Amino acid sequence: MWRFVFGLLVAVGTVLLVQLPSSHAWPESCGNNKTHNFSWGKRGYYDRLMYSVEEVKASSFLRKLSYDVTIPPKGTPQKGAITYLEVLDRYTDGNGGCAYLNGGGIGFRNVTLHIKSQRNKGVNFVINVYGLFN
Ligand SMILES: *[C@@H]1O[C@H](CO)[C@@H](O)[C@H](O)[C@H]1NC(C)=O
Ligand SMILES: *[C@@H]1O[C@H](CO)[C@@H](O)[C@H](O)[C@H]1NC(C)=O
Ligand SMILES: *[C@@H]1O[C@H](CO)[C@@H](O)[C@H](O)[C@H]1NC(C)=O
């Protein structure tokens, strides 16, 4: 009996390990706050706003949106090193999406954010990226 239970646990554990590709296991939820603001780094006195991007997408019936945004987009000029960035949710009713860091960011010259919506919901974020111009 115990041998069987142990075997089952090992099997379940193996499946879990196999199913969790490290960088793409985004959490199911981003907390209970009504507004999903996120920030990374710390804004210094000399930091200036380098990019301000509106990330707005309509909902998709029965689907969750899940995609990456890079600021500045590939192929466009990079203005400087990033010191602080904030993602401000314009939804104030808990229906907004979540944002996760997926590349670059503080100390880099670009940042890639992974954006997720809730099922049947859209996203409406303002992304402000601060840093030191070249
Ligand atoms: C919820 O809001 C509080 C206060 O603004 C903040 O400290 C906390 O990090 C937020 N939690 C999440 C999961 O966003
Ligand atoms: C989210 O950020 C906006 C803009 O700074 C602010 O007005 C709002 O109070 C913030 N919400 C929370 C829950 O921190
Ligand atoms: C971010 O910037 C680095 C360095 O310039 C570049 O190699 C990389 O391709 C950029 N990432 C994206 C997703 O544009």
Side-chain angles (χ1 to χ4, degrees):
M1 179 61 191
W2 285 112
R3 183 183 290 266
F4 170 74
V5 170
F6 182 72
L8 199 64
L9 286 179
V10 169
V12 168
T14 308
V15 169
L16 285 180
L17 282 180
V18 167
Q19 284 183 343
L20 287 178
S22 52
S23 62
H24 294 286
W26 308 112
E28 268 315 300
S29 130
C30 48
N32 299 323
N33 288 352
K34 294 283 186 203
T35 305
H36 302 150
N37 289 348
F38 301 87
S39 68
W40 289 269
K42 193 168 174 296
R43 193 175 164 190
Y45 185 77
Y46 295 104
D47 299 342
R48 294 288 174 265
L49 183 63
M50 294 196 296
Y51 317 94
S52 184
V53 175
E54 296 196 20
E55 183 56 34
V56 182
K57 278 219 174 13
S59 60
S60 179
F61 184 63
L62 292 184
R63 294 202 45 206
K64 293 180 184 174
L65 307 170
S66 185
Y67 61 98
D68 282 354
V69 176
T70 296
I71 302 169
K74 213 175 182 66
T76 62
Q78 298 180 333
K79 297 179 181 172
I82 299 170
T83 53
Y84 173 72
L85 70 112
E86 60 186 10
V87 179
L88 305 176
D89 188 6
R90 282 188 178 141
Y91 281 84
T92 53
D93 57 2
N95 282 329
C98 312
Y100 307 98
L101 192 61
N102 196 20
I106 307 310
F108 293 86
R109 299 164 62 80
N110 57 8
V111 58
T112 300
L113 293 167
H114 186 78
I115 308 276
K116 258 182 64 173
S117 79
Q118 302 179 49
R119 193 177 302 285
N120 269 327
K121 304 287 194 292
V123 299
N124 191 340
F125 289 118
V126 178
I127 305 170
N128 292 322
V129 180
Y130 293 83
L132 299 166
F133 283 93
N134 294 329

